[in-house]
Amino acid sequence: MQTQKVIDHIVSWLKDYAKKANVNGYVLGVSGGVDSGVVSTLSAMTGLKTLLIEMPIRQKEDQVNRAWEHMNDLKSRFPNVETMSVNLTPAFEELYKTFDVQEEIYPNEKLAFANTRARLRMLTLYYYGQLNGLLVCGTGNKVEDFGIGFYTKYGDGGVDVSPIADLYKTEVYKLAKALNLVKNIQEAIPTDGLWDVDRTDEQQIGATYPELEKIQKEYGTKTADDYEGRDKEVFLIFDRMHKAARHKIDPIPVCDIPEEWRND
């Protein structure tokens, strides 16, 4: 990949979009992962106002430390970067007490609360975005956004622009290296940070990003019968998750009303 051309293209795209939208720049959440690290850097490189928000919810200390190491590094290099922390744990705890149900009856309770964390963060980004005249900048990559739908609908999927959604995870890591992000961000193990226990993305999914990328590049041209061994296992994981995520990936369906019915 021609990393510098990709970097310049995304930065230019972000600048042009903000100008056409008549906004001051972008706001985004920084998690301590490589995706938000790359996107926040690209936004900073536009020269437009870039507001970085760390939003802990029962967060692990290492994730918080990585996020702030990166944000402080960007702030020291780009005068247009502003940083802040919004502790969402108290708000989440109130929702937890309000929404809490019996897990024995509702086995999806933990997943629902995990998604609630992401939606609280989305709400926060739009609040501060509107205050400052900023668009919410997404950090999802191609595998997550259009492959297996590994994001929360109206959570981290609720954004105004998606500058790296056409890049695979391995390509995002290449940009992180080219952008000289702090080492801890470049080496961060992917995790969504939505659970009270340590769960990496690969543990949740059951496959690595390079394995998923191989299948995604061939998806639609091959079936399970074309694979064997580990490749077949990953294909079945990808196929199952992709089909389950169509409601996220496809536009919201609209029930069309026949025109002749509009006339009495």
Side-chain angles (χ1 to χ4, degrees):
M1 184 175 70
Q2 300 179 57
T3 54
Q4 192 56 52
K5 286 188 176 181
V6 172
I7 290 169
D8 293 342
H9 176 70
I10 295 175
V11 171
S12 177
W13 182 85
L14 285 169
K15 289 174 67 174
D16 290 345
Y17 194 92
K19 182 178 180 181
K20 291 175 183 176
N22 195 31
V23 296
N24 299 322
Y26 296 97
V27 59
L28 60 151
V30 175
S31 64
V34 68
D35 292 329
S36 66
V38 165
V39 174
S40 57
T41 304
L42 294 171
S43 179
M45 292 172 67
T46 64
L48 302 172
K49 181 172 181 175
T50 298
L51 177 58
L52 309 181
I53 307 181
E54 189 252 342
M55 298 171 284
I57 303 176
R58 297 181 178 178
Q59 222 63 36
K60 300 293 183 293
E61 185 177 359
D62 63 322
Q63 296 172 5
V64 174
N65 291 341
R66 278 202 313 270
W68 273 105
E69 182 183 4
H70 170 69
M71 291 196 298
N72 287 333
D73 177 64
L74 278 191
K75 194 172 182 180
S76 70
R77 294 194 285 138
F78 297 95
N80 55 309
V81 169
E82 297 180 15
T83 61
M84 65 183 296
S85 179
V86 180
N87 183 8
L88 295 177
T89 299
F92 177 76
E93 297 297 353
E94 285 300 315
L95 285 175
Y96 189 86
K97 288 187 292 184
T98 303
F99 292 165
D100 195 21
V101 295
Q102 290 182 299
E103 189 178 356
E104 298 78 14
I105 301 175
Y106 299 98
N108 282 333
E109 182 194 32
K110 283 187 171 60
L111 176 59
F113 273 130
N115 286 325
T116 297
R117 296 191 193 198
R119 291 176 178 130
L120 262 179
R121 291 180 176 131
M122 180 274 292
L123 180 153
T124 304
L125 291 174
Y126 273 96
Y127 174 79
Y128 284 99
Q130 191 160 28
L131 287 183
N132 293 277
L134 306 172
L135 294 179
V136 176
C137 198
T139 62
N141 59 67
K142 192 167 188 172
V143 173
E144 294 168 350
D145 282 10
F146 301 112
I148 57 174
F150 195 64
Y151 62 90
T152 298
K153 193 174 185 178
Y154 305 121
D156 50 329
V159 300
D160 294 315
V161 296
S162 291
I164 62 167
D166 195 34
L167 292 175
Y168 290 105
K169 189 80 167 187
T170 52
E171 294 175 322
V172 176
Y173 274 107
K174 290 178 181 177
L175 289 194
K177 183 177 181 180
L179 292 167
N180 196 30
L181 301 194
V182 295
K183 189 175 182 181
N184 282 335
I185 296 292
Q186 291 191 45
E187 297 177 353
I189 297 173
T191 177
D192 59 16
L194 298 178
W195 304 84
D196 290 334
V197 295
D198 286 324
R199 300 179 61 182
T200 67
D201 290 356
E202 293 177 2
Q203 287 173 334
Q204 292 189 65
I205 298 167
T208 67
Y209 279 99
E211 287 176 327
L212 293 166
E213 289 174 17
K214 178 181 185 298
I215 299 302
Q216 185 169 355
K217 291 173 182 177
E218 301 171 344
Y219 195 68
T221 64
K222 293 185 178 182
T223 67
D225 294 336
D226 295 311
Y227 298 97
E228 59 183 21
R230 178 58 180 166
D231 284 346
K232 186 167 187 175
E233 291 178 4
V234 177
F235 175 88
L236 293 174
I237 291 171
F238 184 95
D239 185 60
R240 172 180 55 80
M241 295 186 72
H242 181 77
K243 289 176 179 176
R246 293 308 313 181
H247 69 97
K248 300 182 186 180
I249 299 169
D250 293 340
I252 297 173
V254 174
C255 179
D256 292 327
I257 306 300
E259 192 62 35
E260 61 267 24
W261 293 358
R262 299 181 186 278
N263 300 317
D264 294 331

